[in-house]
Amino acid sequence: MTAVADAGGEIAGVPAAAVATPASLAEVADVVRGAAADGLALVVRGGGTRQDWALPPHRLDLILETGELTGLVEHAAGDLVAVVRAGTPLHQVQEALRSAGQQLALDEPLPGATVGGTVAVNASGPRRMLYGTVRDLLIGVTVVRADGVVARAGGKVVKNVAGYDLGKLVAGSYGTLGVITECAFRLHPLPAARRFVSVPVDGPDEAGRALSAVLGAQVVPSALEVDTAPMTVTALVEGVPAGVDRRAADLAKLLGDGATAEESPPAGWGRYPWGPGDVGIKLTTALSRVPYLLTAAGVTAQLHDAPLQVRGSAGTGVLYAGLPGGTDPGVVAGVVSDLRAATRAGAGHCVVLTAPPAVRGRVDVWGHVDGLDLMRRVKEQFDPAGTLAPGRFVGGI
């Protein structure tokens, strides 16, 4: 192998013997090929912002860091497409695109997150409502397979969808199917103006009425968020200044007394409702069931006497819940059980993204996942020896 440091590191508390820092696609392929030949287990690390997500690896010999794989490979401004190396922090991508009046419409809930890590966990923030998720914006990908072979899919043209399934597979696979080295994204124009229109609401029912009012209006929000601490509904509108002013005024009038329109986001906007070492939970539900899920979360918090905070995209049915890291594991288990019942009622899921070891030992972090047998077969095809992030994903994949 090449570019391997002697110093070790750890992933989710599991130590590794060495860290590799390849600086090119060829070096990544060399590192992965060597790991496979030597029977080593390898986990990729980008900005390290989500290394405590999912499950700890079953075994870990080598960490492959992407910190040297940075920068824009290509920016075709006329085609609204950019090709970016996986280790590039999201904020650097936005800075590089800003001079052309363009953006990669992905939010950054965790500062310092990289492109590769964001794709690997399929993380999207508030603006997914208008612009879509990582899977929607990803039009091409370069991946090093578990045997060290380089695979490319998709392209650098928005209409070119050949092989796009590989991008969909690796997005959200937590690094278990391949090492992402480059991503091609569809871009969007950078809006000239934006307004955050917020209104405090008195409980889930009133929040539901506010959400329905916004969704039924002709204002085309980029995001529609809810926060339970305190209970607030916020809509983001973006575009040309005159249009944004008009739409923000319409929204404020629609939402009634107490509504405000600001150029700056409210506290906590686009951030997860937990901190390092806390319990972080992802909740999904049908859009019409968001008020029900908010009610169920409130009842669950009272029942277990737990300081549960919920925040997220009410406009897409994707919410996040947080508990302090010191919460009793038995209490967390009860909260998760109740939240899973509530999300199932709305045809959704409840996944524990991050938690202290004591909680992980008590709670099934993934819960029931449809299609697990198919996912196992895909893993077997891509990584039969279990070289890449073994045990990190659903069902111990």
Side-chain angles (χ1 to χ4, degrees), residues 224-288:
L224 181 56
E225 297 282 293
V226 66
D227 195 334
T228 62
M231 186 75 78
T232 308
V233 170
T234 301
L236 168 63
V237 288
E238 299 176 307
V240 298
V244 167
D245 287 343
R246 176 182 53 78
R247 289 153 62 206
D250 290 345
L251 269 176
K253 182 177 179 181
L254 183 70
L255 294 175
D257 293 342
T260 61
E262 304 289 345
E263 293 186 7
S264 299
W269 176 268
R271 298 285 187 253
Y272 299 120
W274 63 78
D278 290 343
V279 179
I281 305 168
K282 181 178 181 180
L283 310 169
T284 61
T285 189
L287 193 57
S288 62

Side-chain angles (χ1 to χ4, degrees), residues 6 34 77 104 111 131 134 159 165 192 215 240 243 249 258 268 276 286 296 329 368 397:
D6 292 332
L104 173 56
Y131 298 105
V134 168
K159 292 183 180 179
D165 282 351
L215 292 171
V240 298
H368 174 75
I397 293 176

Side-chain angles (χ1 to χ4, degrees), residues 47 122 174 184-185 214 229 263 311 333:
N122 192 31
Y174 283 76
F185 291 105
V214 174
E263 293 186 7
R311 178 189 296 152

Side-chain angles (χ1 to χ4, degrees), residues 1-396:
M1 291 184 290
T2 62
V4 177
D6 292 332
E10 67 173 39
I11 300 291
V14 179
V19 177
T21 56
S24 68
L25 174 60
E27 288 189 359
V28 173
D30 187 39
V31 169
V32 176
R33 191 180 306 114
D38 295 340
L40 305 180
L42 178 154
V43 173
V44 180
R45 180 166 64 198
T49 58
R50 294 183 173 90
Q51 289 303 314
D52 58 346
W53 283 30
L55 291 168
H58 287 164
R59 58 191 183 95
L60 177 60
D61 302 297
L62 177 64
I63 296 172
L64 189 156
E65 289 193 337
T66 62
E68 298 296 321
L69 301 169
T70 61
L72 263 66
V73 177
E74 182 178 347
H75 179 203
D79 294 326
L80 286 169
V81 168
V83 181
V84 189
R85 291 187 178 91
T88 312
L90 278 175
H91 70 86
Q92 289 186 12
V93 177
Q94 308 297 13
E95 290 169 3
L97 299 174
R98 187 173 292 114
S99 61
Q102 296 179 355
Q103 62 169 329
L104 173 56
L106 290 176
D107 298 295
E108 191 180 13
L110 293 173
T114 61
V115 166
T118 299
V119 172
V121 301
N122 192 31
S124 300
R127 294 182 301 159
R128 65 182 290 158
M129 181 179 177
L130 180 66
Y131 298 105
T133 65
V134 168
R135 285 192 175 100
D136 299 311
L137 298 174
L138 186 69
I139 61 172
V141 67
T142 299
V143 173
V144 176
R145 299 185 336 198
D147 56 2
V149 174
V150 176
R152 293 181 173 89
K156 295 181 291 184
V157 179
V158 172
K159 292 183 180 179
N160 183 354
V161 295
Y164 183 59
D165 282 351
L166 178 61
K168 288 186 177 181
L169 280 174
V170 299
S173 66
Y174 283 76
T176 59
L177 299 180
V179 179
I180 301 167
T181 60
E182 290 182 5
C183 299
F185 291 105
R186 176 169 51 134
L187 306 178
H188 288 84
L190 195 64
R194 64 178 186 172
R195 292 290 186 278
F196 297 86
V197 183
S198 300
V199 65
V201 291
D202 186 18
D205 290 341
E206 189 174 331
R209 287 191 289 271
L211 296 171
S212 296
V214 174
L215 292 171
Q218 301 299 313
V219 294
V220 194
S222 298
L224 181 56
E225 297 282 293
V226 66
D227 195 334
T228 62
M231 186 75 78
T232 308
V233 170
T234 301
L236 168 63
V237 288
E238 299 176 307
V240 298
V244 167
D245 287 343
R246 176 182 53 78
R247 289 153 62 206
D250 290 345
L251 269 176
K253 182 177 179 181
L254 183 70
L255 294 175
D257 293 342
T260 61
E262 304 289 345
E263 293 186 7
S264 299
W269 176 268
R271 298 285 187 253
Y272 299 120
W274 63 78
D278 290 343
V279 179
I281 305 168
K282 181 178 181 180
L283 310 169
T284 61
T285 189
L287 193 57
S288 62
R289 301 286 287 184
V290 169
Y292 167 79
L293 183 55
L294 291 172
T295 299
V299 171
T300 297
Q302 291 183 347
L303 179 63
H304 297 279
D305 192 24
L308 185 71
Q309 182 180 357
V310 177
R311 178 189 296 152
S313 181
T316 63
V318 180
L319 306 178
Y320 297 93
L323 285 168
T327 304
D328 181 87
V331 171
V332 176
V335 168
V336 170
S337 177
D338 289 353
L339 291 177
R340 285 203 166 125
T343 54
R344 282 197 301 270
H349 296 90
C350 169
V351 175
V352 179
L353 295 176
T354 180
V359 172
R360 293 178 189 273
R362 184 72 179 268
V363 176
D364 177 3
V365 300
W366 293 103
H368 174 75
V369 177
D370 295 330
L372 181 55
D373 289 342
L374 175 59
M375 296 167 73
R376 291 188 190 280
R377 292 197 295 272
V378 170
K379 173 67 172 178
E380 178 65 24
Q381 289 293 317
F382 276 75
D383 184 17
T387 299
L388 301 176
R392 291 278 273 165
F393 200 34
V394 181

